Amino acid sequence: MIAWEITRSCNLNCLHCRAAAEKGPYEGELTFEECFRFIDEVAAFSKPVLILTGGEPLLREDIFEIASYGTRKGLRMVMAVNGTLLDAKKAQAAKRAGIQRVSISLDGATAEGHDQFRGVIGAFAGAMEGINYLKEAGLDFQINTTVTKGNLAEIETILQLAIRLGAVAHHIFLLVPTGRGRELAGEDVAPDAYEQALAWFAEQEDKVPLQLKATCAPQYYRIVHQRGGAKDWKEQGEGLHTFTRGCLGGISFCFLSHRGDVQPCGYLEINVGNISERPFQEIWAEAEVFQRLRDVNNLKGKCGRCEYRVVCGGCRARAYALHGDYLEEEPLCPYEPTHHQRAKRVKEQLSK
């Protein structure tokens, strides 16, 4: 998957925005021709899901031409919007362009909570209206929710709302302190509450009629394995970690900025190359940061010792935000590796 910040301009003022996006315009945005050239480079060696995101992608006038070109090149094109700029014409244009799915963010179950989080009165009503236009156009949509201390108690209600609206999926995103998110001091979920929320979310997989995914929450996959809800990865060996790890940044996922900078993900702000200076395929295959992220043996702290490092990997962006080292241990994970627990028990017994 490639998350492509097709524009950084945005019509909202979200409290958690990783890009601290404003209306813009922003200098250095990739031109129409550069966008087509990037799609050509990607399609020449791979067929990833290409996520058109922002900012707000609908603020880019050529968005549907770009999406159509990606579709013609055989890529699975999807789009992440806030919903407020959608109308019947744009929803139909997205459908014609071959957009396979549209995500709309709902960070509150009511207008009060969502509008406060998004920084604009009417954002919730706009998102609801946008969803109706997508349904009329016959386009699949999913609900994305950024989880903070402020809306943690509403997650179940938001999930039920997604079901009632007819969403095909609900994806939750655990807050990463980048961009404006750095200013949300005290709003990040405590490790134990974080663990409980992910355990609850895992329990819903067999209970709800839509696909669930936890993003920026790689511990979710450790919890799923602990619950016996996944094939025993230990029998398969660590060679399959590129398909099973919770944190996919630099492994099977990357981020492309509006200026053409390539990063492991949008929250891990380490530029590994620019597509105007170096071919994307070369950056993807050879960037040192990507190479280091692809080897779980490079992980440090308890992440490096953890028996679940293959399926989890910890959030590299949160590690970088706290430690200044993207290979350090995940700061919000309360789990202690098994051998560490064993050593602790032995020490306690010897001290008696």
Side-chain angles (χ1 to χ4, degrees):
M1 291 186 290
I2 301 174
W4 184 2
E5 183 188 57
I6 197 74
T7 181
R8 182 160 284 196
S9 298
C10 189
N11 62 316
L12 298 185
N13 192 33
C14 304
L15 297 179
H16 69 302
C17 182
R18 55 148 197 90
E22 298 176 346
K23 189 174 181 179
Y26 287 86
E27 294 183 3
E29 193 167 276
L30 294 176
T31 65
F32 183 74
E33 292 76 16
E34 288 172 325
C35 289
F36 273 41
R37 187 160 59 247
F38 170 65
I39 290 173
D40 286 338
E41 288 186 20
V42 171
F45 78 100
S46 185
K47 291 292 184 286
V49 176
L50 196 54
I51 307 165
L52 301 175
T53 183
E56 170 52 54
L58 291 178
L59 286 175
R60 180 147 181 158
E61 293 182 359
D62 55 7
I63 183 65
F64 297 120
E65 293 174 84
I66 293 170
S68 294
Y69 190 70
T71 298
R72 292 198 300 273
K73 285 292 182 175
L75 306 183
R76 178 177 169 84
M77 306 298 292
V78 300
M79 187 165 61
V81 302
N82 60 48
T84 63
L85 299 183
L86 277 169
D87 56 26
K89 184 177 179 181
K90 289 175 183 174
Q92 290 291 344
K95 179 77 171 179
R96 289 194 301 271
I99 294 291
Q100 298 294 302
R101 184 185 294 186
V102 177
S103 68
I104 290 186
S105 294
L106 288 180
D107 300 303
T110 63
E112 181 181 6
H114 181 77
D115 289 0
Q116 181 180 13
F117 198 82
R118 292 279 154 178
V120 172
I121 300 298
F124 185 83
M128 292 295 105
E129 189 173 7
I131 286 170
N132 285 332
Y133 288 126
L134 293 175
K135 292 165 72 172
E136 290 172 3
L139 260 173
D140 284 347
F141 70 93
Q142 71 181 49
I143 299 301
N144 291 350
T145 302
T146 297
V147 181
T148 68
K149 187 183 297 183
N151 68 1
L152 182 60
E154 290 189 88
I155 297 304
E156 184 171 2
T157 307
I158 296 173
L159 173 57
Q160 293 303 318
L161 175 59
I163 294 170
R164 290 198 304 274
L165 290 171
V168 297
H170 185 204
H171 291 195
I172 60 172
F173 293 70
L174 273 292
L175 181 68
V176 180
T178 59
R180 289 197 199 103
R182 294 189 185 97
E183 301 172 13
L184 290 178
E187 279 301 308
D188 47 335
V189 180
D192 288 342
Y194 176 27
E195 185 88 352
Q196 292 171 13
L198 293 178
W200 169 82
F201 199 61
E203 291 173 358
Q204 308 312 304
E205 286 204 6
D206 298 326
K207 300 178 180 179
V208 297
L210 72 178
Q211 182 252 350
L212 303 180
K213 183 180 179 183
T215 300
C216 301
Q219 296 94 306
Y220 178 76
Y221 299 94
R222 184 252 303 160
I223 291 170
V224 169
H225 281 274
Q226 286 177 309
R227 289 167 44 84
K231 188 175 180 180
D232 188 358
W233 54 271
K234 291 180 181 179
E235 294 179 0
Q236 302 177 52
E238 295 193 2
L240 292 183
H241 73 270
T242 55
F243 300 99
T244 58
R245 271 180 66 180
C247 183
L248 301 176
I251 300 170
S252 59
F253 178 94
C254 72
F255 174 85
L256 182 71
S257 82
H258 65 296
R259 296 186 179 190
D261 293 317
V262 180
Q263 301 172 190
C265 81
Y267 299 104
L268 181 49
E269 296 175 316
I270 300 176
N271 293 337
V272 301
N274 187 286
I275 61 170
S276 64
E277 302 167 357
R278 192 179 178 192
F280 175 73
Q281 183 175 4
E282 186 178 301
I283 295 172
W284 176 254
E286 300 177 8
E288 181 181 355
V289 172
F290 287 178
Q291 294 294 330
R292 297 181 74 186
L293 286 168
R294 290 167 188 170
D295 185 353
V296 294
N297 295 315
N298 288 325
L299 297 178
K300 301 176 183 179
K302 68 178 182 181
C303 283
R305 302 190 302 269
C306 186
E307 66 272 28
Y308 290 102
R309 67 188 185 279
V310 173
V311 295
C312 172
C315 177
R316 300 298 96 220
R318 273 196 290 271
Y320 186 67
L322 181 66
H323 304 291
D325 183 346
Y326 60 89
L327 295 172
E328 265 293 352
E329 66 182 46
E330 154 75 63
L332 289 185
C333 179
Y335 181 75
E336 290 293 343
T338 299
H339 71 275
H340 178 76
Q341 296 175 26
R342 191 179 301 122
K344 183 178 179 181
R345 287 194 297 269
V346 170
K347 185 177 180 181
E348 288 174 348
Q349 291 171 356
L350 292 174
S351 66
K352 291 180 180 179

